[in-house]
Amino acid sequence: MTHRDKTGTVCSLKIVTLLVALSPELLPLGAGVQLRDNGYDGLLVAINPQVSEDQNLIPNIKEMITEASFYLFNATKRRVFFRNIKILIPATWKANHYSQVKQESYEKANVIVTDWYGAHGGDPYTLQYRGCGKEGKHIYFTPDFLLNDDLTAGYGSRGKVFVHEWAHLRWGVFDEYNNEKPFYINGQNQIKVTRCSSDIVGMFVCEKGPCPQENCIISKLFQEGCMFIYNSTQNATSSIMFMQSLSSVVEFCNSSTHNLEAPNLQNQMCNLRSTWDVISDSIDFNHSFPMNGTALPPPPTFSLVQAGDKVVCLVLDVSSKMAEADRLLRLQQAAEFYLMQIVEIHTFVGIVSFNSKGEIRAQLHQINNDDDRKLLVSYLPATVSAEAETSICSGLKRGFEVAEKLNGKAYGSVMILVTGGIDEHISDCLLTVFSSGSTIHTIALGSSADKNLEEFSHLTGGLKFFVPDKSNSNSMIDAFSRISSGTGDVLQQRIQLESMGENVEPHHQLKNTVTVDRSVGNDTAFLVTWQTSGPPEIVLLDPSGREYYTHDFVINQALRTARLWIPGTAKPGLWTYTLNNTHHSLQALKVTVTSRASRPAQPPATVEAFVEKDSTSFPHPVMIYANVRKGFYPILNATVTATIEPETKDPVTLKLFDDGAGADVIKNDGIYSRYFFSFAVNGRYSLKVHVNHSPSISTLGHSLPGSHAMYVPGYITNGNIQMHASRKSLGRSEEEQKGGFSRVSSGGSFSVLAVPAGPHPDVFPPCKVIDLETVKVEEEVTLSWTAPGEDFDQGQANSYEIRMSKSLQSIRDDFNNAILVNTSKLNPQQAGTKEIFTFSPKLFTNGPEHQPDGEMQESHRVYVAIRTIDKNSLKSAVSNIAQASLFIPPNSAPVLAREYLILNGVLTAMGLIGIICLTIVVTHYILNRKKRADRKENETKLL
């Protein structure tokens, strides 16, 4: 790209920025929520199409966010509020003069309203898959939460709950309660309830009413039937991330009110920092200042939008660049696959091709049956042009013309742009694209594709893909398979079960199996593609032993595809396919299997693959994620493998884990994660994820993942216990939890810059340990954690550095000067292995430890952290801090916390007073008796 063209692109982007500043309604969907002049613009709320229409739902959403805006403004000390919100109405609801969608879609929503419930009822929750201070994925609310006013007694007002979840989503803070560890022993050996701040008070309640603490906590175990109930009236003003339901709570915990010792996720994930400290360090707060004066901000404005007819236009490159590496053939095969199998019924589809200028090949045609699909396939380009020049802008402008034929505008339409060429004037149409109201998905072919192609996706919130020039890569078909209608209705979308491609030697075969599980099976199709001449010899075996052969497939010799539709619902179980290369030359043989949900009310297992960010620079790694779930339940114990294909060099395979270690933030949340840093070359990389699950392993998690707003079961009001109604919960049948499955999903593409040309020194340290735990065993402390690697979470590290302290703050702020534990016999294991290490903290039993302020402190707690070192002395970040009780002699016991000591103290004092009084009476009596005896003796002597 010339200097002039780069300048043009920058200028166009500046104009786009100016337009957004003038009118936030023009905010590009790819930009997400933006903060401007203390107000958030671009927040999108989407209602799932399975949710029944209710006239109260939309007003309640508006009321919730309006209340949240003012509450958030005060909680952030006049920093931020909500200005503009869009609510996406499902197409399944009746039209009611809603505005036409532009680039809004269900998948792009920040807040989702959906009808599925978890084990904890309809808890509002936020899916957080990254670390402290990082944005989450979505906030989820159920219609029951939004419509049932009885639930506000336990959750608090909906606006306050929204702020709780917004802090999860936007600022990456975590919950300050812990249902798994409702109490802990602090540094003064006191039993404390897990809370923030510590000033929030209440009492223990047993089955028969209020009871002493010692009746609920026996041998450090919380007794069944006991719970801690908080007072409804409090003086504490924090924290929103602990108990937003309290009327007194109006702010986040800060450094002065934060409970460092509470065993909650906020302390574990954020290195004991308060929520307010994390929020204050966010980009939002670095670029904004408190508003002057005392006036409140204006209430939010709401726009209601609804999708109309679905419109898709294929915008396909036919320049001479498409003659390279069989690009045109692979494009034809993928486009036919999309038209015949993926695009949903009743969609309007058009086709445009372009080289130096655009050409309309097919005006919009609605798909109502297979004949419509076949007709559109016939309009696909059959040859490439002699021209090398590509005008991407010309192709897009023709695409907009096609889309505008239906309703006069391209609003809500989708462009699938496929090109391997360069357009030196790509900046000329950025404003046209920006204002079109169309979403553009880009597919870059080979290393020659324009480096600025993805700008179209960024501006419009579209997906972006990369297809390497490798004959055995199935990534073109995978890209088309990932592009759905964006309605969020997984029951109607096609699901990819298999994607396989191999270069097969003459007279050799490609053989594999694919699992068709009970949740899918409708409209199942097997697609086979090849490179040259006739089809391979195909044998397909279903679970009952029935065989299908090549002659059972529908052959398209021109496009070199063979397709088999399975009538009715495909038999569940293992399907085995064999492709024999009967030719005398090497053949690239590929197999794709897709299906749809088999049951109308039960969602099938799905996988969504994505990366943390679109681009990176060496040596910073890329975080790869795969969200594997059934409905909204996480699927556990799956085998998840990522395949990463660079522009050149061989693909890299990487196993992803959901173990709460390394790149994976939370264990068993259904999000499988891994670091990727094996960068071979600069340029684009393609991502694909395979998921397989054994039928013998339990599949579904017992609860919804993510960070949940706390539901308070009851309060103490004027000394009386007032319990709230239990929440709605739906169980799951055993059948839903059994059975293996196979899934495949493209994760799009990302780009890498600054990769050294030759060998480079080791620059990758071990990753941080985030799951360190301590277990007290007699007089020894046992540590447990997941082993990091030599490089991030791969390989085998060289050594561990373990340090401990009796001061929590000391080990956090000054790890290097904490007491070093002897680890000479501890050798790191392979990354991902569970490590166990036991040591005796005798140093801590020999007297008090000096604190940073010079004071002496007796403590019965030990705090431990760990750092990993590789063979080149590169060190990881310090781990989360674990804590354990030191050995306590048999004649001592944990000290009861302040709120439970008062009664015991009074009783003890009264007892002591009674003993003293009794002693005085007895002494007085004895002395009087002695005096009388002495008087008698004296009288006798006188006589």
Side-chain angles (χ1 to χ4, degrees):
M1 196 176 194
T2 65
H3 174 74
R4 179 185 64 79
D5 294 317
K6 289 181 181 176
T7 304
T9 302
V10 171
C11 290
S12 296
L13 290 175
K14 286 182 178 178
I15 294 171
V16 168
T17 305
L18 178 61
L19 283 173
V20 172
L22 293 174
S23 176
E25 287 295 313
L26 295 175
L27 187 73
L29 259 292
V33 178
Q34 297 291 306
L35 182 64
R36 181 179 64 89
D37 297 332
N38 298 92
Y40 287 114
D41 294 318
L43 178 66
L44 179 62
V45 180
I47 301 172
N48 189 284
Q50 296 296 316
V51 172
S52 300
E53 189 166 358
D54 190 297
Q55 62 180 1
N56 294 319
L57 191 57
I58 294 173
N60 284 10
I61 292 172
K62 291 180 177 181
E63 182 182 319
M64 172 178 69
I65 299 178
T66 300
E67 180 197 356
S69 183
F70 296 119
Y71 185 65
L72 180 68
F73 184 70
N74 291 322
T76 57
K77 301 174 175 42
R78 302 181 59 83
R79 289 270 191 162
V80 294
F81 62 93
F82 297 111
R83 181 184 288 114
N84 293 294
I85 294 93
K86 290 184 179 180
I87 302 176
L88 179 60
I89 310 300
T92 52
W93 287 23
K94 294 176 183 176
N96 190 20
H97 305 293
Y98 302 123
S99 300
Q100 169 70 23
V101 298
K102 293 183 180 177
Q103 287 125 356
E104 299 84 9
S105 70
Y106 186 85
E107 286 84 357
K108 300 173 191 174
N110 312 104
V111 180
I112 290 176
V113 179
T114 180
D115 229 346
W116 282 303
Y117 294 88
H120 297 297
D123 271 348
Y125 78 97
T126 302
L127 193 59
Q128 292 182 268
Y129 62 98
R130 301 159 71 194
C132 182
K134 304 290 183 67
E135 285 192 58
K137 196 159 183 62
H138 304 289
I139 297 173
Y140 293 93
F141 293 108
T142 63
D144 187 49
F145 170 80
L146 293 168
L147 297 170
N148 186 353
D149 292 337
D150 292 340
L151 293 176
T152 59
Y155 287 114
S157 67
R158 296 187 185 102
K160 296 177 76 172
V161 173
F162 191 93
V163 171
H164 177 101
E165 298 304 330
W166 178 256
H168 286 313
L169 180 77
R170 184 71 178 182
W171 299 314
V173 295
F174 293 84
D175 288 321
E176 292 171 328
Y177 66 91
N178 189 339
N179 290 328
E180 303 299 322
K181 296 178 181 178
F183 76 97
Y184 64 99
I185 301 175
N186 70 2
Q188 286 70 48
N189 203 35
Q190 297 173 324
I191 294 176
K192 291 282 190 178
V193 176
T194 302
R195 56 194 160 181
C196 193
S197 71
S198 298
D199 295 331
I200 296 178
V201 295
M203 67 173 64
F204 279 97
V205 174
C206 303
E207 292 175 345
K208 297 181 180 180
C211 58
Q213 173 176 284
E214 53 267 27
N215 287 10
C216 274
I217 302 175
I218 301 173
S219 300
K220 301 182 185 178
L221 296 176
F222 203 64
Q223 297 302 297
E224 187 175 354
C226 282
M227 63 178 65
F228 190 82
I229 303 295
Y230 294 91
N231 295 347
S232 60
T233 303
Q234 303 277 349
N235 294 322
T237 58
S238 61
S239 167
I240 293 170
M241 301 314 294
F242 171 63
M243 191 180 286
Q244 76 288 330
S245 57
L246 290 172
S247 59
S248 66
V249 169
V250 293
E251 60 186 12
F252 297 95
C253 258
N254 55 37
S255 55
S256 62
T257 58
H258 180 58
N259 184 357
L260 291 172
E261 296 181 307
N264 55 40
L265 206 53
Q266 172 65 21
N267 278 333
Q268 179 184 341
M269 300 305 303
C270 296
N271 196 29
L272 309 180
R273 297 175 67 201
S274 73
T275 53
W276 183 247
D277 286 344
V278 176
I279 292 168
S280 298
D281 282 346
S282 67
I283 295 176
D284 287 351
F285 279 42
N286 288 336
H287 293 82
S288 67
F289 300 94
M291 290 176 62
N292 296 324
T294 59
L296 291 174
T301 59
F302 295 88
S303 304
L304 307 183
V305 297
Q306 186 178 39
D309 294 317
K310 288 175 281 189
V311 177
V312 176
C313 187
L314 306 183
V315 183
L316 310 176
D317 187 353
V318 292
S319 69
S320 60
K321 283 288 183 183
M322 295 300 292
E324 300 174 9
D326 278 337
R327 289 178 184 173
L328 181 65
L329 174 63
R330 295 163 68 201
L331 171 59
Q332 290 171 325
Q333 292 171 340
E336 186 214 30
F337 163 76
Y338 178 77
L339 294 171
M340 293 300 299
Q341 297 180 219
I342 299 299
V343 67
E344 296 177 12
I345 197 164
H346 305 313
T347 302
F348 289 88
V349 179
I351 300 174
V352 167
S353 64
F354 66 93
N355 43 32
S356 62
K357 57 185 179 181
E359 178 188 357
I360 298 174
R361 305 186 68 89
Q363 294 286 359
L364 289 182
H365 190 89
Q366 189 174 31
I367 294 177
N368 294 307
N369 51 49
D370 278 354
D371 289 337
D372 295 322
R373 296 179 184 274
K374 292 173 184 176
L375 178 63
L376 284 164
V377 169
S378 70
Y379 289 117
L380 290 173
T383 58
V384 298
S385 165
E387 292 184 14
E389 184 181 353
T390 53
S391 176
I392 297 171
C393 288
S394 296
L396 285 173
K397 287 175 182 177
R398 288 287 182 266
F400 297 148
E401 287 178 24
V402 170
E404 289 166 359
K405 292 285 186 182
L406 191 63
N407 294 311
K409 291 187 178 294
Y411 289 177
S413 64
V414 170
M415 303 285 141
I416 302 178
L417 172 61
V418 186
T419 182
I422 297 174
D423 185 351
E424 294 186 350
H425 305 284
I426 202 170
S427 61
D428 293 349
C429 62
L430 285 178
L431 284 177
T432 302
V433 167
F434 177 67
S435 59
S436 69
S438 179
T439 298
I440 300 178
H441 304 304
T442 57
I443 303 178
L445 306 184
S447 56
S448 63
D450 197 293
K451 301 305 179 187
N452 292 311
L453 182 65
E454 285 80 4
E455 283 301 321
F456 295 124
S457 298
H458 291 152
L459 278 175
T460 64
L463 301 173
K464 53 191 176 303
F465 303 93
F466 165 66
V467 178
D469 286 331
K470 297 170 185 173
S471 58
N472 63 338
S473 172
N474 207 28
S475 51
M476 181 96 76
I477 286 177
D478 297 332
F480 274 96
S481 180
R482 172 71 186 271
I483 298 171
S484 68
S485 63
T487 63
D489 191 354
V490 69
L491 298 175
Q492 300 300 320
Q493 294 170 5
R494 186 167 283 278
I495 294 169
Q496 190 172 1
L497 310 184
E498 174 70 315
S499 174
M500 174 65 70
E502 278 189 16
N503 287 322
V504 180
E505 297 285 345
H507 308 295
H508 284 68
Q509 62 182 213
L510 168 62
K511 184 175 183 178
N512 208 350
T513 60
V514 58
T515 301
V516 176
D517 57 285
R518 293 185 182 277
S519 69
V520 295
N522 286 358
D523 206 14
T524 303
F526 287 77
L527 174 68
V528 176
T529 65
W530 60 95
Q531 223 175 344
T532 57
S533 62
E537 183 182 88
I538 306 171
V539 180
L540 176 64
L541 187 68
D542 78 5
S544 67
R546 178 180 175 180
E547 292 183 333
Y548 299 88
Y549 298 98
T550 309
H551 63 263
D552 295 311
F553 284 66
V554 176
I555 309 293
N556 186 325
Q557 189 61 53
L559 302 185
R560 294 163 197 165
T561 63
R563 181 178 288 99
L564 175 68
W565 299 94
I566 305 300
T569 302
K571 286 184 171 61
L574 277 179
W575 290 65
T576 303
Y577 60 84
T578 305
L579 309 182
N580 293 299
N581 181 10
T582 57
H583 300 284
H584 300 291
S585 59
L586 190 75
Q587 278 270 41
L589 303 180
K590 288 169 276 191
V591 178
T592 306
V593 184
T594 61
S595 189
R596 296 188 195 273
S598 60
R599 303 176 186 182
Q602 293 186 9
T606 59
V607 55
E608 178 192 9
F610 53 96
V611 293
E612 182 183 30
K613 51 187 177 181
D614 298 334
S615 62
T616 190
S617 294
F618 182 90
H620 302 291
V622 171
M623 304 261 218
I624 295 176
Y625 302 99
N627 189 2
V628 186
R629 62 194 59 251
K630 183 171 185 176
F632 288 90
Y633 286 102
I635 294 178
L636 312 182
N637 306 314
T639 301
V640 182
T641 306
T643 302
I644 303 102
E645 293 183 279
E647 290 186 1
T648 58
K649 308 293 184 181
D650 293 331
V652 177
T653 58
L654 199 62
K655 192 172 181 181
L656 310 185
F657 298 102
D658 184 17
D659 57 0
D664 193 66
V665 173
I666 298 175
K667 184 177 181 179
N668 290 341
D669 64 350
I671 297 182
Y672 295 73
S673 319
R674 200 76 185 273
Y675 290 103
F676 173 69
F677 51 89
S678 301
F679 306 131
V681 292
N682 288 309
R684 296 181 174 99
Y685 287 69
S686 176
L687 170 65
K688 175 169 65 177
V689 166
H690 284 81
V691 180
N692 290 288
H693 198 279
S694 168
S696 61
I697 303 175
S698 177
T699 302
L700 296 182
H702 296 293
S703 62
L704 293 175
S707 302
H708 299 246
M710 182 196 289
Y711 181 84
V712 180
Y715 286 118
I716 305 293
T717 304
N718 298 324
N720 298 317
I721 301 171
Q722 295 182 348
M723 302 304 292
H724 301 143
S726 59
R727 292 163 294 169
K728 185 176 179 180
S729 181
L730 297 182
R732 303 193 304 269
S733 67
E734 286 300 311
E735 184 181 5
E736 288 182 275
Q737 302 183 57
K738 296 179 180 179
F741 65 87
S742 303
R743 296 291 186 272
V744 176
S745 178
S746 170
S749 65
F750 59 91
S751 60
V752 181
L753 303 174
V755 178
H760 51 79
D762 180 14
V763 292
F764 304 119
C767 65
K768 173 183 174 179
V769 171
I770 61 175
D771 62 344
L772 181 66
E773 294 181 299
T774 62
V775 180
K776 178 68 182 65
V777 181
E778 296 179 355
E779 296 186 14
E780 295 180 320
V781 171
T782 297
L783 301 176
S784 170
W785 69 95
T786 303
E790 170 74 12
D791 299 328
F792 294 109
D793 54 2
Q794 298 175 40
Q796 189 170 355
N798 187 59
S799 62
Y800 291 118
E801 177 185 2
I802 299 177
R803 293 182 181 271
M804 60 185 180
S805 173
K806 283 194 292 183
S807 168
L808 181 57
Q809 199 160 349
S810 292
I811 197 168
R812 181 191 71 172
D813 299 338
D814 194 11
F815 175 81
N816 290 332
N817 287 322
I819 297 173
L820 186 66
V821 175
N822 184 356
T823 57
S824 58
K825 296 182 180 180
L826 175 61
N827 296 314
Q829 300 186 72
Q830 193 71 22
T833 307
K834 184 61 70 176
E835 298 272 29
I836 300 291
F837 176 66
T838 301
F839 68 98
S840 178
K842 291 182 179 178
L843 289 171
F844 290 92
T845 63
N846 296 331
E849 183 181 11
H850 284 275
Q851 301 306 304
D853 57 7
E855 296 180 0
M856 305 288 281
Q857 176 186 346
E858 288 286 356
S859 176
H860 298 280
R861 302 289 284 167
V862 58
Y863 301 98
V864 187
I866 187 170
R867 186 160 59 187
T868 313
I869 305 167
D870 72 8
K871 62 185 178 184
N872 290 313
S873 299
L874 295 177
K875 296 181 178 181
S876 71
V878 177
S879 72
N880 65 295
I881 299 172
Q883 51 186 292
S885 296
L886 290 176
F887 175 71
I888 301 172
N891 61 351
S892 68
V895 181
L896 301 181
R898 175 175 59 84
E899 53 264 38
Y900 309 108
L901 284 174
I902 296 173
L903 178 60
N904 288 346
V906 171
L907 293 174
T908 303
M910 291 175 65
L912 289 172
I913 291 170
I915 292 170
I916 291 169
C917 292
L918 181 62
T919 303
I920 291 171
V921 170
V922 171
T923 304
H924 182 71
Y925 173 76
I926 292 172
L927 289 174
N928 284 339
R929 190 172 180 181
K930 186 177 181 183
K931 284 181 181 179
R932 285 196 298 269
D934 288 343
R935 194 180 299 118
K936 279 187 178 183
E937 186 178 348
N938 290 335
E939 289 175 353
T940 304
K941 287 181 180 179
L942 287 173
L943 290 171

